[in-house]
Amino acid sequence: MIRLHNELRDTFAELIGMAWGDAGVRREVVLKEGEEGEGGVRADIVARGVWERQAAASFDICITDPDATSYASKNRSTKSILR
């Protein structure tokens, strides 16, 4: 799953770079440092100029496998899993 996540993140970052320019695209950006045992906040991609000129937009990539055994054993619908 980590490899799939990173592949999707890199592809998405590349597409953002093609649309809005490579100079404003960064990967794995720390938005807030962790303090005393807290993990902090990190974005998979930060890009400038996506929604507003020179404003940074943060993106987090999430891969969900609705066919995973952990979901199937609970008889959850795909819609409830993705919600």
Side-chain angles (χ1 to χ4, degrees), residues 12-77:
F12 189 45
E14 189 175 321
L15 290 171
I16 291 172
M18 289 175 7
W20 287 284
D22 285 329
V25 179
R26 296 180 296 153
R27 296 179 182 121
E28 299 295 329
V29 178
V30 176
L31 301 175
K32 179 183 174 191
E33 294 287 338
E35 298 175 13
E36 298 181 29
E38 294 180 17
V41 179
R42 185 182 60 175
D44 287 319
I45 302 168
V46 173
R48 290 202 170 280
V50 175
W51 309 122
E52 292 181 37
R53 188 176 180 94
Q54 294 302 317
S58 302
F59 297 93
D60 187 47
I61 307 297
C62 180
I63 304 293
T64 302
D65 179 5
D67 295 325
T69 55
S70 58
Y71 292 126
S73 64
K74 297 176 185 174
N75 294 323
R76 293 180 61 188
S77 69

